[in-house]
Amino acid sequence: MPDKTPEPEIKPTQRVIKKYPNRRLYDTSTSAYVTLSEVKQLVMDGETVTVRDAKNGDDLTRSILLQVILEEEAGGAPMFSEAALANIIRFYGHAMQGFMGAYLEKNVQMFTEIQAKLAEQSQGLTPEMWSQFMNLQSPMMKALMGNYVEQSQNMFVQMQEQMQKQTEQMLGAFGIKKR
């Protein structure tokens, strides 16, 4: 009777990078030290990157990704204006902090999906066709942007409803009823 061992589950590739006290980053997949710009390239290539403290195993991924963003913002054409950064900072400690993070994440995901659809549908276009394609008057562009705006509005409405429920719960805890 043959041995029937279950086939191993295929997991997405995950790059584990160890951060040492001397601030060096070590890619355990390639057994080599890497720079922040190489970590950026891994992310750009779609790799799932996890950064761990080499001493205690703490997850430092967010910190390293924020460092990559900081380098990008400092070195060229920044993505965020000072006003946008100030507004993001204002949400820290605010009751809406958790909602804002989820809202930004969903919007970036929707934008990424729109970008992928545009790239897929624009393959093989001549410069003239590309110009027409990118014209906001094109029905396809209107449909893509319409879906984005609609999803964004729906997320905002959900966020408002959630905030209203939490406010009612908090007031209920103090014995105050909504009229």
Side-chain angles (χ1 to χ4, degrees):
M1 186 164 176
D3 185 7
K4 291 187 178 184
T5 56
E7 291 188 29
E9 186 178 317
I10 299 172
K11 295 182 181 179
T13 306
Q14 182 171 5
R15 299 292 279 265
V16 177
I17 297 174
K18 291 183 179 180
K19 183 173 188 252
Y20 287 91
N22 62 2
R23 299 186 348 220
R24 292 191 74 188
L25 300 169
Y26 183 79
D27 185 342
T28 60
S29 298
T30 61
S31 300
Y33 286 101
V34 293
T35 63
L36 275 180
S37 69
E38 289 169 319
V39 171
K40 172 193 165 203
Q41 190 57 52
L42 290 171
V43 172
M44 298 289 287
D45 293 343
E47 298 260 359
T48 302
V49 177
T50 301
V51 182
R52 299 261 176 221
D53 185 295
K55 265 188 171 176
N56 58 22
D58 287 350
D59 188 352
L60 304 174
T61 308
R62 286 177 37 82
S63 174
I64 295 300
L65 294 177
L66 284 167
Q67 284 180 23
V68 169
I69 291 170
L70 182 60
E71 278 195 1
E72 288 298 309
E73 286 290 308
M79 188 181 304
F80 299 105
S81 67
E82 289 175 17
L85 290 170
N87 283 327
I88 290 170
I89 289 168
R90 287 183 186 106
F91 276 98
Y92 284 97
H94 188 276
M96 294 291 291
Q97 179 177 341
F99 296 115
M100 182 55 142
Y103 181 76
L104 288 174
E105 187 174 341
K106 294 277 187 194
N107 269 284
V108 169
Q109 181 61 39
M110 284 188 291
F111 189 80
T112 302
E113 290 169 8
I114 288 172
Q115 183 183 26
K117 285 179 186 176
L118 285 173
E120 178 184 309
Q121 294 178 355
S122 69
Q123 290 178 347
L125 293 182
T126 66
E128 295 81 24
M129 292 168 72
W130 178 251
S131 176
Q132 291 175 340
F133 177 76
M134 290 307 292
N135 183 350
L136 284 176
Q137 301 306 315
S138 78
M140 188 184 68
M141 184 63 83
K142 282 183 178 179
L144 282 173
M145 293 310 290
N147 288 341
Y148 171 75
V149 170
E150 183 180 329
Q151 288 176 354
S152 186
Q153 287 173 336
N154 289 341
M155 284 176 35
F156 189 75
V157 167
Q158 289 173 354
M159 194 168 67
Q160 285 179 316
E161 289 171 354
Q162 185 68 27
M163 213 173 109
Q164 184 175 2
K165 286 178 189 174
Q166 286 184 341
T167 302
E168 288 173 8
Q169 289 172 348
M170 186 178 72
L171 292 175
F174 291 112
I176 302 170
K177 300 272 185 201
K178 184 180 173 188
R179 293 180 192 210

